[in-house]
Amino acid sequence: EFILEGKGLTQRYKTDTGCILTACRAVDVRLRKGETLGIVGESGCGKSTLLRILAQLERPAEGQLFFNGTEITFLKGESLRRHRCHIQMVFQDPAASFFPRMKAGEAITEPLRNFRRLSRQETRDKQDELLELVGLPKEYANRYPHSMSGGQRQRLGIARALALDPDILICDEATSALDVSVQRQIIELLADIQRQRGLSIIFVCHDLALVQLMAHRVMIMYLGGVVESLPGDQVWDQA
Ligand code: ADP
Ligand code: ADP
C-alpha cells in the first residue's frame, strides 16, 4: 500500500576534520500513492540527504528502500537508471539546471530525448501537453528560461520533471525562492496536477505554514532524525 517506503535510513559523511557526521539517523518514511508528504526542518537537519537517498541518487549506509513493496536498496546499473525515471525532482531554482542556451521547449523535452524514443511529432505533442499542464502558453516553447519570471521558470521545472510521467515528484525547496503570492500559485498547480494524475509528492520546505497548505502528512526532522510524523491538519495542535 506504500508506493515508497524507507526503513531505518541512515547516512554518514566524513567531515573536513575527519569526524563522522550522521546526516540522517534511522529514518522511517512512508509515502502512499496520491499522497503529499511534507518534510520540514531547519537548515542542516538532513532533509536533502534524505531526498537524495529516496531519489536513489546516493545509497544509504544503513537501512532499506522499497518501491511498491519491492526492495530497491541495491539496484545498480541499467535497472537503477530505469528506476530513477519513476522518481523525479523539482529544485529551488530550475533555471540553474537548464542549459542557458536551451529554449524552454527543448529544456522540458530533454528527458524524453534521453530516455524515450519518440518521433519529432510525438515530442512536439508532448511538449504542448506539458506546457498546457503547467499553465504556460505553447509559444513559450521558443523563449529562453532566463527571460521568464521565477514562477514561470518553476512551471518549466515542474513540466520537465513530469516529462517521463513519474509516479513520485520530489520538490526540494521548490517554492522557496519565489514571492509569497507566486508560492501559492505553484502549490495550487502541484495540487491540481496531483489530483489529475494520481501523483505522489514529497514536498520539502523550511516553512511549515507553506507545507501545511498541501501536505496530507507532515514529518518534522531535527538533527538527522524524525521528531514527529503527523496528519497535516494536526500540525498546529502539536506546535
Ligand atoms: P538540509 O537539507 O536539511 O539543510 P542536509 O541534508 O543538506 O540538510 O545536511 C545534513 C548535514 O549533513 C549537514 O550537517 C551537512 O553539512 C552534512 N552533509 C550533507 N551532505 C554532505 C556531504 N556530501 N559531505 C559531508 N557532509 C554533508
Ligand atoms: P529499451 O528498449 O531498453 O526499453 P530504449 O531502447 O528505448 O530502451 O532506450 C535506449 C536506452 O535508453 C536504453 O538502453 C537505456 O539505457 C535508456 N533508457 C530508455 N528508457 C529508459 C528508462 N525508462 N529508464 C532509464 N533508462 C532508459
Side-chain angles (χ1 to χ4, degrees), residues 153-201:
R153 285 205 302 265
Q154 194 51 286
R155 286 173 192 271
L156 289 179
I158 293 168
R160 180 183 164 104
L162 293 172
L164 295 175
D165 294 314
D167 300 298
I168 300 172
L169 204 59
I170 295 186
C171 306
D172 190 2
E173 300 281 0
T175 56
S176 303
L178 304 172
D179 294 341
V180 176
S181 62
V182 182
Q183 288 181 335
R184 289 181 180 248
Q185 290 167 14
I186 295 294
I187 283 181
E188 277 164 26
L189 172 68
L190 286 169
D192 273 353
I193 292 171
Q194 177 172 55
R195 280 190 292 269
Q196 276 180 46
R197 307 213 152 186
L199 198 68
S200 306
I201 297 181

mmCIF file of all heavy atoms in Angstrom, residues 153-201:
data_model
loop_
_atom_site.group_PDB
_atom_site.id
_atom_site.type_symbol
_atom_site.label_atom_id
_atom_site.label_comp_id
_atom_site.label_asym_id
_atom_site.label_seq_id
_atom_site.Cartn_x
_atom_site.Cartn_y
_atom_site.Cartn_z
ATOM 1 N N ARG A 153 9.533 30.052 -14.581
ATOM 2 C CA ARG A 153 10.652 29.092 -14.646
ATOM 3 C C ARG A 153 10.354 27.877 -13.786
ATOM 4 O O ARG A 153 10.693 26.753 -14.142
ATOM 5 C CB ARG A 153 11.959 29.745 -14.194
ATOM 6 C CG ARG A 153 12.543 30.683 -15.219
ATOM 7 C CD ARG A 153 14.039 30.818 -15.026
ATOM 8 N NE ARG A 153 14.373 31.306 -13.697
ATOM 9 C CZ ARG A 153 14.599 32.579 -13.412
ATOM 10 N NH1 ARG A 153 14.528 33.492 -14.353
ATOM 11 N NH2 ARG A 153 14.902 32.938 -12.188
ATOM 12 N N GLN A 154 9.695 28.103 -12.644
ATOM 13 C CA GLN A 154 9.382 26.951 -11.805
ATOM 14 C C GLN A 154 8.318 26.083 -12.476
ATOM 15 O O GLN A 154 8.334 24.858 -12.350
ATOM 16 C CB GLN A 154 8.959 27.403 -10.401
ATOM 17 C CG GLN A 154 8.947 26.283 -9.378
ATOM 18 C CD GLN A 154 10.230 25.466 -9.338
ATOM 19 O OE1 GLN A 154 10.498 24.653 -10.229
ATOM 20 N NE2 GLN A 154 11.060 25.678 -8.330
ATOM 21 N N ARG A 155 7.407 26.705 -13.240
ATOM 22 C CA ARG A 155 6.448 25.906 -14.014
ATOM 23 C C ARG A 155 7.195 25.030 -15.020
ATOM 24 O O ARG A 155 6.848 23.870 -15.235
ATOM 25 C CB ARG A 155 5.434 26.809 -14.728
ATOM 26 C CG ARG A 155 4.410 27.407 -13.768
ATOM 27 C CD ARG A 155 3.517 28.440 -14.434
ATOM 28 N NE ARG A 155 2.771 29.181 -13.431
ATOM 29 C CZ ARG A 155 1.571 28.815 -12.951
ATOM 30 N NH1 ARG A 155 0.955 27.762 -13.446
ATOM 31 N NH2 ARG A 155 0.993 29.523 -12.003
ATOM 32 N N LEU A 156 8.237 25.591 -15.627
ATOM 33 C CA LEU A 156 9.060 24.795 -16.544
ATOM 34 C C LEU A 156 9.749 23.654 -15.811
ATOM 35 O O LEU A 156 9.845 22.530 -16.316
ATOM 36 C CB LEU A 156 10.136 25.656 -17.209
ATOM 37 C CG LEU A 156 9.699 26.682 -18.248
ATOM 38 C CD1 LEU A 156 10.919 27.431 -18.756
ATOM 39 C CD2 LEU A 156 8.968 26.002 -19.401
ATOM 40 N N GLY A 157 10.237 23.957 -14.617
ATOM 41 C CA GLY A 157 10.905 22.920 -13.814
ATOM 42 C C GLY A 157 9.959 21.756 -13.537
ATOM 43 O O GLY A 157 10.349 20.584 -13.585
ATOM 44 N N ILE A 158 8.704 22.099 -13.266
ATOM 45 C CA ILE A 158 7.704 21.064 -12.992
ATOM 46 C C ILE A 158 7.387 20.293 -14.273
ATOM 47 O O ILE A 158 7.300 19.064 -14.272
ATOM 48 C CB ILE A 158 6.434 21.694 -12.372
ATOM 49 C CG1 ILE A 158 6.769 22.250 -10.981
ATOM 50 C CG2 ILE A 158 5.295 20.683 -12.287
ATOM 51 C CD1 ILE A 158 5.698 23.153 -10.387
ATOM 52 N N ALA A 159 7.261 21.020 -15.390
ATOM 53 C CA ALA A 159 6.974 20.364 -16.680
ATOM 54 C C ALA A 159 8.079 19.369 -17.024
ATOM 55 O O ALA A 159 7.827 18.237 -17.437
ATOM 56 C CB ALA A 159 6.848 21.413 -17.788
ATOM 57 N N ARG A 160 9.310 19.801 -16.833
ATOM 58 C CA ARG A 160 10.447 18.932 -17.139
ATOM 59 C C ARG A 160 10.446 17.685 -16.250
ATOM 60 O O ARG A 160 10.683 16.575 -16.712
ATOM 61 C CB ARG A 160 11.743 19.733 -16.949
ATOM 62 C CG ARG A 160 13.005 18.969 -17.239
ATOM 63 C CD ARG A 160 14.204 19.869 -16.944
ATOM 64 N NE ARG A 160 15.419 19.105 -16.834
ATOM 65 C CZ ARG A 160 16.348 19.048 -17.774
ATOM 66 N NH1 ARG A 160 16.202 19.704 -18.899
ATOM 67 N NH2 ARG A 160 17.426 18.330 -17.599
ATOM 68 N N ALA A 161 10.132 17.900 -14.972
ATOM 69 C CA ALA A 161 10.106 16.762 -14.033
ATOM 70 C C ALA A 161 8.992 15.778 -14.389
ATOM 71 O O ALA A 161 9.078 14.597 -14.067
ATOM 72 C CB ALA A 161 9.940 17.269 -12.605
ATOM 73 N N LEU A 162 7.932 16.274 -15.058
ATOM 74 C CA LEU A 162 6.809 15.401 -15.391
ATOM 75 C C LEU A 162 6.932 14.752 -16.765
ATOM 76 O O LEU A 162 6.097 13.932 -17.147
ATOM 77 C CB LEU A 162 5.495 16.190 -15.316
ATOM 78 C CG LEU A 162 5.088 16.646 -13.912
ATOM 79 C CD1 LEU A 162 3.900 17.583 -13.991
ATOM 80 C CD2 LEU A 162 4.770 15.442 -13.030
ATOM 81 N N ALA A 163 7.966 15.126 -17.514
ATOM 82 C CA ALA A 163 8.098 14.660 -18.902
ATOM 83 C C ALA A 163 8.083 13.134 -19.014
ATOM 84 O O ALA A 163 7.528 12.578 -19.952
ATOM 85 C CB ALA A 163 9.369 15.232 -19.527
ATOM 86 N N LEU A 164 8.684 12.455 -18.050
ATOM 87 C CA LEU A 164 8.771 10.990 -18.133
ATOM 88 C C LEU A 164 7.621 10.298 -17.394
ATOM 89 O O LEU A 164 7.690 9.097 -17.133
ATOM 90 C CB LEU A 164 10.118 10.514 -17.570
ATOM 91 C CG LEU A 164 11.364 10.956 -18.350
ATOM 92 C CD1 LEU A 164 12.638 10.540 -17.626
ATOM 93 C CD2 LEU A 164 11.357 10.396 -19.762
ATOM 94 N N ASP A 165 6.578 11.070 -17.052
ATOM 95 C CA ASP A 165 5.426 10.520 -16.317
ATOM 96 C C ASP A 165 5.841 9.764 -15.062
ATOM 97 O O ASP A 165 5.531 8.578 -14.899
ATOM 98 C CB ASP A 165 4.610 9.569 -17.212
ATOM 99 C CG ASP A 165 3.959 10.308 -18.357
ATOM 100 O OD1 ASP A 165 3.375 11.371 -18.091
ATOM 101 O OD2 ASP A 165 4.065 9.833 -19.492
ATOM 102 N N PRO A 166 6.544 10.435 -14.149
ATOM 103 C CA PRO A 166 6.986 9.753 -12.928
ATOM 104 C C PRO A 166 5.798 9.441 -12.016
ATOM 105 O O PRO A 166 4.730 10.038 -12.157
ATOM 106 C CB PRO A 166 7.890 10.797 -12.263
ATOM 107 C CG PRO A 166 7.328 12.107 -12.714
ATOM 108 C CD PRO A 166 6.874 11.872 -14.130
ATOM 109 N N ASP A 167 5.995 8.527 -11.079
ATOM 110 C CA ASP A 167 4.976 8.230 -10.075
ATOM 111 C C ASP A 167 5.117 9.164 -8.878
ATOM 112 O O ASP A 167 4.176 9.410 -8.149
ATOM 113 C CB ASP A 167 5.146 6.786 -9.579
ATOM 114 C CG ASP A 167 5.000 5.802 -10.718
ATOM 115 O OD1 ASP A 167 3.917 5.763 -11.299
ATOM 116 O OD2 ASP A 167 5.990 5.106 -11.035
ATOM 117 N N ILE A 168 6.361 9.595 -8.675
ATOM 118 C CA ILE A 168 6.654 10.410 -7.489
ATOM 119 C C ILE A 168 7.413 11.666 -7.902
ATOM 120 O O ILE A 168 8.352 11.608 -8.704
ATOM 121 C CB ILE A 168 7.525 9.610 -6.491
ATOM 122 C CG1 ILE A 168 6.783 8.338 -6.056
ATOM 123 C CG2 ILE A 168 7.902 10.466 -5.278
ATOM 124 C CD1 ILE A 168 7.637 7.389 -5.230
ATOM 125 N N LEU A 169 6.978 12.794 -7.344
ATOM 126 C CA LEU A 169 7.666 14.059 -7.573
ATOM 127 C C LEU A 169 8.254 14.509 -6.244
ATOM 128 O O LEU A 169 7.540 14.581 -5.239
ATOM 129 C CB LEU A 169 6.627 15.076 -8.055
ATOM 130 C CG LEU A 169 7.102 16.260 -8.880
ATOM 131 C CD1 LEU A 169 7.803 15.784 -10.138
ATOM 132 C CD2 LEU A 169 5.911 17.140 -9.229
ATOM 133 N N ILE A 170 9.551 14.775 -6.228
ATOM 134 C CA ILE A 170 10.184 15.252 -5.008
ATOM 135 C C ILE A 170 10.539 16.723 -5.191
ATOM 136 O O ILE A 170 11.322 17.069 -6.076
ATOM 137 C CB ILE A 170 11.457 14.434 -4.688
ATOM 138 C CG1 ILE A 170 11.071 12.978 -4.390
ATOM 139 C CG2 ILE A 170 12.192 15.053 -3.507
ATOM 140 C CD1 ILE A 170 12.228 12.118 -3.926
ATOM 141 N N CYS A 171 9.927 17.580 -4.390
ATOM 142 C CA CYS A 171 10.137 19.016 -4.519
ATOM 143 C C CYS A 171 11.023 19.500 -3.387
ATOM 144 O O CYS A 171 10.617 19.492 -2.222
ATOM 145 C CB CYS A 171 8.797 19.752 -4.476
ATOM 146 S SG CYS A 171 7.613 19.129 -5.675
ATOM 147 N N ASP A 172 12.253 19.884 -3.719
ATOM 148 C CA ASP A 172 13.217 20.310 -2.704
ATOM 149 C C ASP A 172 13.258 21.831 -2.655
ATOM 150 O O ASP A 172 13.883 22.464 -3.486
ATOM 151 C CB ASP A 172 14.604 19.746 -3.035
ATOM 152 C CG ASP A 172 15.588 19.941 -1.886
ATOM 153 O OD1 ASP A 172 15.184 20.476 -0.832
ATOM 154 O OD2 ASP A 172 16.763 19.553 -2.045
ATOM 155 N N GLU A 173 12.588 22.408 -1.671
ATOM 156 C CA GLU A 173 12.505 23.875 -1.519
ATOM 157 C C GLU A 173 12.090 24.507 -2.843
ATOM 158 O O GLU A 173 12.604 25.557 -3.238
ATOM 159 C CB GLU A 173 13.867 24.449 -1.065
ATOM 160 C CG GLU A 173 14.369 23.909 0.265
ATOM 161 C CD GLU A 173 13.699 24.563 1.480
ATOM 162 O OE1 GLU A 173 12.845 25.444 1.302
ATOM 163 O OE2 GLU A 173 14.024 24.149 2.615
ATOM 164 N N ALA A 174 11.125 23.885 -3.521
ATOM 165 C CA ALA A 174 10.771 24.290 -4.880
ATOM 166 C C ALA A 174 10.108 25.659 -4.938
ATOM 167 O O ALA A 174 10.061 26.279 -5.997
ATOM 168 C CB ALA A 174 9.855 23.245 -5.508
ATOM 169 N N THR A 175 9.583 26.133 -3.816
ATOM 170 C CA THR A 175 8.917 27.439 -3.849
ATOM 171 C C THR A 175 9.673 28.488 -3.042
ATOM 172 O O THR A 175 9.252 29.635 -2.953
ATOM 173 C CB THR A 175 7.481 27.338 -3.261
ATOM 174 O OG1 THR A 175 7.574 26.791 -1.943
ATOM 175 C CG2 THR A 175 6.606 26.429 -4.110
ATOM 176 N N SER A 176 10.811 28.091 -2.480
ATOM 177 C CA SER A 176 11.483 28.961 -1.507
ATOM 178 C C SER A 176 12.045 30.249 -2.095
ATOM 179 O O SER A 176 12.204 31.231 -1.380
ATOM 180 C CB SER A 176 12.583 28.189 -0.799
ATOM 181 O OG SER A 176 12.017 27.057 -0.181
ATOM 182 N N ALA A 177 12.338 30.243 -3.410
ATOM 183 C CA ALA A 177 12.931 31.446 -3.987
ATOM 184 C C ALA A 177 11.869 32.384 -4.565
ATOM 185 O O ALA A 177 12.199 33.396 -5.174
ATOM 186 C CB ALA A 177 13.937 31.049 -5.073
ATOM 187 N N LEU A 178 10.599 32.054 -4.380
ATOM 188 C CA LEU A 178 9.535 32.810 -5.050
ATOM 189 C C LEU A 178 8.810 33.769 -4.099
ATOM 190 O O LEU A 178 8.812 33.576 -2.888
ATOM 191 C CB LEU A 178 8.514 31.826 -5.639
ATOM 192 C CG LEU A 178 9.086 30.778 -6.612
ATOM 193 C CD1 LEU A 178 8.021 29.748 -6.956
ATOM 194 C CD2 LEU A 178 9.618 31.448 -7.862
ATOM 195 N N ASP A 179 8.154 34.785 -4.679
ATOM 196 C CA ASP A 179 7.314 35.689 -3.889
ATOM 197 C C ASP A 179 6.151 34.904 -3.298
ATOM 198 O O ASP A 179 5.704 33.919 -3.881
ATOM 199 C CB ASP A 179 6.727 36.789 -4.776
ATOM 200 C CG ASP A 179 7.807 37.706 -5.316
ATOM 201 O OD1 ASP A 179 8.910 37.719 -4.738
ATOM 202 O OD2 ASP A 179 7.548 38.375 -6.328
ATOM 203 N N VAL A 180 5.647 35.389 -2.186
ATOM 204 C CA VAL A 180 4.590 34.662 -1.466
ATOM 205 C C VAL A 180 3.385 34.330 -2.352
ATOM 206 O O VAL A 180 2.895 33.204 -2.344
ATOM 207 C CB VAL A 180 4.135 35.478 -0.225
ATOM 208 C CG1 VAL A 180 2.970 34.774 0.457
ATOM 209 C CG2 VAL A 180 5.296 35.611 0.749
ATOM 210 N N SER A 181 2.915 35.300 -3.161
ATOM 211 C CA SER A 181 1.721 35.037 -3.978
ATOM 212 C C SER A 181 2.027 33.973 -5.029
ATOM 213 O O SER A 181 1.176 33.144 -5.356
ATOM 214 C CB SER A 181 1.241 36.322 -4.646
ATOM 215 O OG SER A 181 2.230 36.815 -5.521
ATOM 216 N N VAL A 182 3.253 33.990 -5.547
ATOM 217 C CA VAL A 182 3.649 33.010 -6.562
ATOM 218 C C VAL A 182 3.824 31.627 -5.929
ATOM 219 O O VAL A 182 3.477 30.613 -6.525
ATOM 220 C CB VAL A 182 4.948 33.459 -7.283
ATOM 221 C CG1 VAL A 182 5.329 32.479 -8.371
ATOM 222 C CG2 VAL A 182 4.775 34.855 -7.861
ATOM 223 N N GLN A 183 4.315 31.595 -4.682
ATOM 224 C CA GLN A 183 4.441 30.317 -3.964
ATOM 225 C C GLN A 183 3.105 29.608 -3.934
ATOM 226 O O GLN A 183 3.000 28.421 -4.190
ATOM 227 C CB GLN A 183 4.891 30.564 -2.513
ATOM 228 C CG GLN A 183 6.328 30.997 -2.380
ATOM 229 C CD GLN A 183 6.742 31.212 -0.931
ATOM 230 O OE1 GLN A 183 5.922 31.494 -0.064
ATOM 231 N NE2 GLN A 183 8.032 31.083 -0.672
ATOM 232 N N ARG A 184 2.064 30.382 -3.629
ATOM 233 C CA ARG A 184 0.733 29.773 -3.532
ATOM 234 C C ARG A 184 0.240 29.274 -4.874
ATOM 235 O O ARG A 184 -0.390 28.224 -4.952
ATOM 236 C CB ARG A 184 -0.264 30.760 -2.917
ATOM 237 C CG ARG A 184 0.056 30.923 -1.447
ATOM 238 C CD ARG A 184 -0.867 31.857 -0.725
ATOM 239 N NE ARG A 184 -0.401 31.890 0.662
ATOM 240 C CZ ARG A 184 -1.086 31.389 1.677
ATOM 241 N NH1 ARG A 184 -2.265 30.855 1.497
ATOM 242 N NH2 ARG A 184 -0.586 31.433 2.889
ATOM 243 N N GLN A 185 0.543 30.018 -5.942
ATOM 244 C CA GLN A 185 0.138 29.560 -7.286
ATOM 245 C C GLN A 185 0.809 28.233 -7.626
ATOM 246 O O GLN A 185 0.191 27.337 -8.190
ATOM 247 C CB GLN A 185 0.527 30.597 -8.350
ATOM 248 C CG GLN A 185 -0.295 31.875 -8.287
ATOM 249 C CD GLN A 185 0.319 32.984 -9.126
ATOM 250 O OE1 GLN A 185 1.193 32.738 -9.953
ATOM 251 N NE2 GLN A 185 -0.127 34.206 -8.901
ATOM 252 N N ILE A 186 2.083 28.123 -7.280
ATOM 253 C CA ILE A 186 2.821 26.899 -7.600
ATOM 254 C C ILE A 186 2.283 25.721 -6.780
ATOM 255 O O ILE A 186 2.116 24.614 -7.279
ATOM 256 C CB ILE A 186 4.344 27.094 -7.363
ATOM 257 C CG1 ILE A 186 4.906 28.140 -8.343
ATOM 258 C CG2 ILE A 186 5.096 25.775 -7.486
ATOM 259 C CD1 ILE A 186 4.888 27.737 -9.809
ATOM 260 N N ILE A 187 1.959 25.999 -5.530
ATOM 261 C CA ILE A 187 1.402 24.939 -4.683
ATOM 262 C C ILE A 187 0.039 24.489 -5.206
ATOM 263 O O ILE A 187 -0.259 23.290 -5.264
ATOM 264 C CB ILE A 187 1.341 25.412 -3.217
ATOM 265 C CG1 ILE A 187 2.759 25.317 -2.663
ATOM 266 C CG2 ILE A 187 0.372 24.578 -2.393
ATOM 267 C CD1 ILE A 187 2.918 25.707 -1.243
ATOM 268 N N GLU A 188 -0.781 25.446 -5.652
ATOM 269 C CA GLU A 188 -2.080 25.079 -6.240
ATOM 270 C C GLU A 188 -1.888 24.257 -7.512
ATOM 271 O O GLU A 188 -2.611 23.292 -7.760
ATOM 272 C CB GLU A 188 -2.914 26.330 -6.542
ATOM 273 C CG GLU A 188 -3.650 26.821 -5.305
ATOM 274 C CD GLU A 188 -4.155 28.252 -5.452
ATOM 275 O OE1 GLU A 188 -4.395 28.690 -6.595
ATOM 276 O OE2 GLU A 188 -4.296 28.920 -4.412
ATOM 277 N N LEU A 189 -0.893 24.657 -8.310
ATOM 278 C CA LEU A 189 -0.602 23.901 -9.532
ATOM 279 C C LEU A 189 -0.217 22.457 -9.204
ATOM 280 O O LEU A 189 -0.723 21.506 -9.801
ATOM 281 C CB LEU A 189 0.539 24.588 -10.310
ATOM 282 C CG LEU A 189 1.075 23.814 -11.516
ATOM 283 C CD1 LEU A 189 0.025 23.757 -12.620
ATOM 284 C CD2 LEU A 189 2.350 24.461 -12.046
ATOM 285 N N LEU A 190 0.664 22.305 -8.219
ATOM 286 C CA LEU A 190 1.087 20.952 -7.833
ATOM 287 C C LEU A 190 -0.094 20.124 -7.340
ATOM 288 O O LEU A 190 -0.239 18.952 -7.697
ATOM 289 C CB LEU A 190 2.170 21.025 -6.739
ATOM 290 C CG LEU A 190 3.558 21.466 -7.202
ATOM 291 C CD1 LEU A 190 4.453 21.755 -6.007
ATOM 292 C CD2 LEU A 190 4.201 20.418 -8.110
ATOM 293 N N ALA A 191 -0.958 20.758 -6.542
ATOM 294 C CA ALA A 191 -2.120 20.044 -6.010
ATOM 295 C C ALA A 191 -3.062 19.628 -7.144
ATOM 296 O O ALA A 191 -3.606 18.516 -7.141
ATOM 297 C CB ALA A 191 -2.841 20.908 -4.978
ATOM 298 N N ASP A 192 -3.240 20.510 -8.133
ATOM 299 C CA ASP A 192 -4.081 20.200 -9.307
ATOM 300 C C ASP A 192 -3.531 19.010 -10.076
ATOM 301 O O ASP A 192 -4.253 18.083 -10.424
ATOM 302 C CB ASP A 192 -4.085 21.377 -10.288
ATOM 303 C CG ASP A 192 -5.155 22.387 -9.948
ATOM 304 O OD1 ASP A 192 -5.959 22.099 -9.044
ATOM 305 O OD2 ASP A 192 -5.160 23.463 -10.580
ATOM 306 N N ILE A 193 -2.228 19.070 -10.346
ATOM 307 C CA ILE A 193 -1.587 18.012 -11.122
ATOM 308 C C ILE A 193 -1.680 16.689 -10.366
ATOM 309 O O ILE A 193 -1.931 15.639 -10.943
ATOM 310 C CB ILE A 193 -0.115 18.374 -11.414
ATOM 311 C CG1 ILE A 193 -0.054 19.559 -12.368
ATOM 312 C CG2 ILE A 193 0.642 17.185 -11.992
ATOM 313 C CD1 ILE A 193 1.331 20.127 -12.564
ATOM 314 N N GLN A 194 -1.518 16.781 -9.059
ATOM 315 C CA GLN A 194 -1.609 15.581 -8.243
ATOM 316 C C GLN A 194 -2.987 14.928 -8.365
ATOM 317 O O GLN A 194 -3.101 13.725 -8.538
ATOM 318 C CB GLN A 194 -1.326 15.924 -6.795
ATOM 319 C CG GLN A 194 -1.485 14.737 -5.892
ATOM 320 C CD GLN A 194 -1.031 15.057 -4.519
ATOM 321 O OE1 GLN A 194 -1.498 16.022 -3.924
ATOM 322 N NE2 GLN A 194 -0.108 14.297 -4.017
ATOM 323 N N ARG A 195 -4.031 15.765 -8.300
ATOM 324 C CA ARG A 195 -5.393 15.233 -8.416
ATOM 325 C C ARG A 195 -5.628 14.646 -9.810
ATOM 326 O O ARG A 195 -6.203 13.573 -9.947
ATOM 327 C CB ARG A 195 -6.420 16.330 -8.125
ATOM 328 C CG ARG A 195 -6.603 16.570 -6.631
ATOM 329 C CD ARG A 195 -7.789 17.481 -6.368
ATOM 330 N NE ARG A 195 -7.531 18.838 -6.838
ATOM 331 C CZ ARG A 195 -6.992 19.794 -6.085
ATOM 332 N NH1 ARG A 195 -6.684 19.542 -4.839
ATOM 333 N NH2 ARG A 195 -6.774 20.988 -6.560
ATOM 334 N N GLN A 196 -5.149 15.344 -10.841
ATOM 335 C CA GLN A 196 -5.338 14.876 -12.218
ATOM 336 C C GLN A 196 -4.638 13.560 -12.495
ATOM 337 O O GLN A 196 -5.130 12.726 -13.227
ATOM 338 C CB GLN A 196 -4.750 15.887 -13.206
ATOM 339 C CG GLN A 196 -5.636 17.036 -13.566
ATOM 340 C CD GLN A 196 -4.913 17.942 -14.554
ATOM 341 O OE1 GLN A 196 -4.319 17.475 -15.525
ATOM 342 N NE2 GLN A 196 -4.941 19.240 -14.309
ATOM 343 N N ARG A 197 -3.425 13.425 -11.950
ATOM 344 C CA ARG A 197 -2.567 12.307 -12.346
ATOM 345 C C ARG A 197 -2.347 11.241 -11.284
ATOM 346 O O ARG A 197 -1.616 10.280 -11.523
ATOM 347 C CB ARG A 197 -1.188 12.842 -12.754
ATOM 348 C CG ARG A 197 -1.254 13.920 -13.800
ATOM 349 C CD ARG A 197 -0.057 13.831 -14.670
ATOM 350 N NE ARG A 197 -0.359 14.350 -15.995
ATOM 351 C CZ ARG A 197 0.468 14.307 -17.022
ATOM 352 N NH1 ARG A 197 1.662 13.771 -16.864
ATOM 353 N NH2 ARG A 197 0.123 14.786 -18.195
ATOM 354 N N GLY A 198 -2.911 11.456 -10.097
ATOM 355 C CA GLY A 198 -2.701 10.497 -9.018
ATOM 356 C C GLY A 198 -1.243 10.391 -8.599
ATOM 357 O O GLY A 198 -0.769 9.357 -8.146
ATOM 358 N N LEU A 199 -0.542 11.509 -8.771
ATOM 359 C CA LEU A 199 0.882 11.573 -8.454
ATOM 360 C C LEU A 199 1.099 11.556 -6.932
ATOM 361 O O LEU A 199 0.258 12.034 -6.188
ATOM 362 C CB LEU A 199 1.379 12.910 -9.015
ATOM 363 C CG LEU A 199 2.820 13.188 -9.258
ATOM 364 C CD1 LEU A 199 3.316 12.321 -10.406
ATOM 365 C CD2 LEU A 199 2.979 14.672 -9.640
ATOM 366 N N SER A 200 2.218 11.026 -6.496
ATOM 367 C CA SER A 200 2.601 11.128 -5.082
ATOM 368 C C SER A 200 3.697 12.184 -4.993
ATOM 369 O O SER A 200 4.575 12.233 -5.841
ATOM 370 C CB SER A 200 3.140 9.791 -4.578
ATOM 371 O OG SER A 200 2.208 8.762 -4.841
ATOM 372 N N ILE A 201 3.610 13.019 -3.959
ATOM 373 C CA ILE A 201 4.553 14.141 -3.874
ATOM 374 C C ILE A 201 5.241 14.183 -2.507
ATOM 375 O O ILE A 201 4.600 13.986 -1.477
ATOM 376 C CB ILE A 201 3.816 15.491 -4.109
ATOM 377 C CG1 ILE A 201 3.232 15.529 -5.534
ATOM 378 C CG2 ILE A 201 4.738 16.675 -3.871
ATOM 379 C CD1 ILE A 201 2.500 16.828 -5.880
#
